[in-house]
Amino acid sequence: MNEADRAWMRLALAEAERGRGWVEPNPLVGALVVRDGQLVAAGHHGRFGGPHAEVVALDRAGEAARGATLYVSLEPCCHHGKTPPCVEAIVRAGVGRVVAAMVDPDPRVTGGGLRRLREAGIEAEVGLEEELARELNAAYLKRLATGRPYVIAKWAMTLDGKTATASGESRWISNERSRMHVHALRGRVDAIVVGVGTVWADDPRLTARPAGPRVASRVILDSQARLPLESRLVATVTEAPVVVAVTKRAERDRVEALRSRGCEVVELEEQGGRVSVGAVLEELGRRGMTNVLVEGGGRVLGSFFDAGEVDEVEVYVAPRVEGGDHAQTGVRGAGSRTMAEAWALESVRIDELDGDVRLRGVLDRWWRRGDRAGEPA
């Protein structure tokens, strides 16, 4: 494989990104048909249950796919699911060569798609830009490996690290453009998690405005079922589900009152007097959720960091200095004993949003990095 192959694969990865928020729990996949150094057709998996990227690209290419090279960001599937196996469509199209970024770890595939292609006499290669491919599908990889959803920690803060004033007032730290980014993020996740303290302080709706491709469940960590019945969350329960995670210490009459208003109440294990982070993620994973956004407050975010369950960070820093000697900070909890032990981000991206600074980064995880490139033994 050469630099031209690498450039085509990066275009396939960019094509795959177009399906984010629409295809989960399926992986993001992009495909390109290239013939004689020219792009013939491109396609991506556009919605859950819809045609896969390879099929879209091959249909668009038509007869021009015969003898061409197919670049695909994930190993083509070889099993019957909601759609027929992609490898059969590739074989029928007469493609001469397939280049995949990575093996699909789904046990129904895992190298089987590549084997089928080779058995049909098609040259099949794998491992090109695998690191980028694994980062693209980090949520899919984590769900397969652990059964738990991918966790994005989000907060907004001032230059001096405050998420609210000493009185708890926080509207608005970030500007309108930053808030638009947050709403877009909310519109592509399966759940938004906050603590009941945030509800008491801010009375948020936690919905995406305008609506995105997904409608996130609002998950409230509320060990004693203290969610106010008059809150905007309860008032909008018909617009988006409200799931209240409680412990055995919750009073039965409070639980029944929330259920009578349309909220779903689930009793989970507790840890340190609070709802267990691990139990929450196990429950959300059991429901088939792929991406979860944790919005706060500081103690809730800290509990996810302390549990080692944060995969990505999205922070909005406003050019304001609040001052004051108080603990209204983005992440609290036990924290790190030394700076050497502090959580370090990788693949950091920084954007300027009308004066605010948006910082995004991911935490290193074995399922994102992969044990090694290439296909399994």
Side-chain angles (χ1 to χ4, degrees), residues 92-142:
R92 286 196 305 272
V95 169
R97 176 180 177 233
V98 174
V99 181
M102 62 175 288
V103 170
D104 188 346
D106 186 326
R108 296 171 298 178
V109 186
T110 317
L114 295 166
R115 283 194 301 273
R116 173 70 184 94
L117 292 172
R118 289 166 183 155
E119 289 168 357
I122 297 173
E123 181 183 352
E125 303 168 73
V126 68
L128 183 63
E129 299 292 10
E130 180 173 4
E131 185 174 347
L132 292 178
R134 294 187 74 87
E135 188 167 325
L136 172 80
N137 270 313
Y140 171 72
L141 297 176
K142 182 185 181 184

Side-chain angles (χ1 to χ4, degrees), residues 88-223:
E88 302 307 326
I90 295 170
V91 172
R92 286 196 305 272
V95 169
R97 176 180 177 233
V98 174
V99 181
M102 62 175 288
V103 170
D104 188 346
D106 186 326
R108 296 171 298 178
V109 186
T110 317
L114 295 166
R115 283 194 301 273
R116 173 70 184 94
L117 292 172
R118 289 166 183 155
E119 289 168 357
I122 297 173
E123 181 183 352
E125 303 168 73
V126 68
L128 183 63
E129 299 292 10
E130 180 173 4
E131 185 174 347
L132 292 178
R134 294 187 74 87
E135 188 167 325
L136 172 80
N137 270 313
Y140 171 72
L141 297 176
K142 182 185 181 184
R143 185 180 61 81
L144 280 180
T146 69
R148 295 183 176 188
Y150 187 81
V151 175
I152 305 166
K154 168 264 167 184
W155 67 93
M157 67 183 185
T158 61
L159 281 175
D160 54 334
K162 303 296 174 49
T163 56
T165 63
S167 65
E169 197 273 332
S170 62
R171 294 182 178 173
W172 295 103
I173 292 175
S174 54
N175 63 29
E176 184 176 356
R177 190 173 172 201
S178 292
R179 296 197 297 276
M180 288 174 59
H181 272 256
V182 172
H183 281 288
L185 180 58
R186 286 177 176 177
R188 65 170 180 81
V189 300
D190 296 308
I192 301 167
V193 179
V194 299
V196 70
T198 293
V199 181
W200 277 97
D202 299 335
D203 192 22
R205 278 188 287 175
L206 302 178
T207 53
R209 303 181 296 276
R214 309 185 85 77
V215 176
S217 295
R218 284 88 55 87
V219 179
I220 316 304
L221 307 188
D222 185 10
S223 59

